[in-house]
Amino acid sequence: AGEPPLGCVFHRQDDLLKQPKAHATFLIYSPLLCKDVESFVASELWCRCVEESLKEFAYDAEVAGVGYQLTISSTAVSVSLSGFNDKLGVLLDAVTEKVKAMREIPETIYSIVADAYGDEVSNAAFHSPPYAQCSMRFTELTSRGAVWPSYKRHAAFKEMAREKLTNIVERLFHEEGCHVEALVLGNATPEEARQLAARLVSGLGLKKALAVVPER
């Protein structure tokens, strides 16, 4: 357990392979992702814009033996780091700094991301195989309010504008608060795992805890 909004840290230290590497995944639960499909699509686009802006840094990091991934699920923003354990903290600092700085999306980055995203949701909504369409409808019915199907994301995207992503980081992480969980595996002690999780919370400036954790 940790200090709110850090809920808990799951940890397993490697005692078999004994390689100088580790993997860390942080889940940041936010009510904004469950609010409506427009908020989810805006958050997903913002997340991909952050990744696009970090592409050059990501290449340098890969050469140095570390990597990261920033994704969004139905209820949480996921930050994953992997590679040499002594460099994960530096990588995490770079990612959190870029996340905090992306309050306004540059037109060039938004255009690149929006073109790819529009094609992706359009193909998923209208050009996927029949079995995939059935699976999408089944998931929509069984996860109503928690998972947004492709056709609804496509409709929301058609109404989206770059300006709607301005300051979304504030609404995503600070407006109603958030809940953070961490999983750290590999060459890291329990204390190092806690320090890495605390570094994420501090780097993003997360202070307000959720009263109720969103359903998963």
Side-chain angles (χ1 to χ4, degrees):
E3 290 295 323
L6 178 59
C8 51
V9 179
F10 300 97
H11 168 260
R12 175 68 166 88
Q13 188 168 359
D14 172 37
D15 56 5
L16 181 64
L17 300 176
K18 298 182 180 178
Q19 296 292 313
K21 295 185 177 181
H23 179 92
T25 296
F26 307 96
L27 295 177
I28 309 170
Y29 292 92
S30 171
L32 183 68
L33 299 175
C34 311
K35 185 178 180 181
D36 51 50
V37 66
E38 290 79 12
S39 297
F40 180 84
V41 169
S43 300
E44 196 169 30
L45 282 168
W46 169 82
C47 184
R48 296 191 184 192
C49 286
V50 173
E51 277 204 304
E52 181 66 29
S53 68
L54 276 168
K55 268 192 173 179
E56 186 176 340
F57 176 82
Y59 174 77
D60 293 337
E62 188 176 349
V63 172
V66 291
Y68 88 99
Q69 191 172 23
L70 183 66
T71 57
I72 281 188
S73 67
S74 58
T75 56
V77 177
S78 172
V79 181
S80 296
L81 312 172
S82 60
F84 292 110
N85 58 283
D86 61 335
K87 296 178 180 176
L88 292 189
V90 177
L91 177 62
L92 181 60
D93 290 344
V95 173
T96 54
E97 184 179 346
K98 176 58 71 173
V99 166
K100 284 201 331 184
M102 287 292 279
R103 296 185 177 274
E104 189 169 337
I105 307 298
E107 180 65 45
T108 51
I109 290 179
Y110 181 79
S111 296
I112 293 170
V113 170
D115 285 346
Y117 185 84
D119 291 341
E120 178 187 318
V121 293
S122 177
N123 289 333
F126 307 117
H127 304 292
S128 55
Y131 69 85
Q133 296 278 347
C134 291
S135 177
M136 178 178 67
R137 297 292 183 171
F138 178 79
T139 302
E140 180 185 7
L141 289 173
T142 56
S143 306
R144 190 175 297 276
V147 177
W148 308 109
S150 299
Y151 73 94
K152 287 188 176 181
R153 288 162 59 208
H154 179 265
F157 171 72
K158 299 299 286 185
E159 301 298 321
M160 192 59 58
R162 180 177 64 92
E163 291 73 21
K164 292 184 179 181
L165 274 60
T166 300
N167 276 335
I168 196 170
V169 65
E170 197 69 30
R171 291 184 284 140
L172 194 58
F173 296 138
H174 305 294
E175 198 169 87
E176 295 185 57
C178 59
H179 173 81
V180 181
E181 294 182 359
L183 170 66
V184 182
L185 305 171
N187 188 34
T189 65
E191 181 58 30
E192 287 170 339
R194 283 191 290 267
Q195 288 176 357
L196 202 59
R199 202 162 174 169
L200 171 91
V201 172
S202 174
L204 292 177
L206 306 178
K207 296 179 180 178
K208 186 178 180 182
L210 287 179
V212 179
V213 180
E215 292 185 11
R216 327 206 178 170

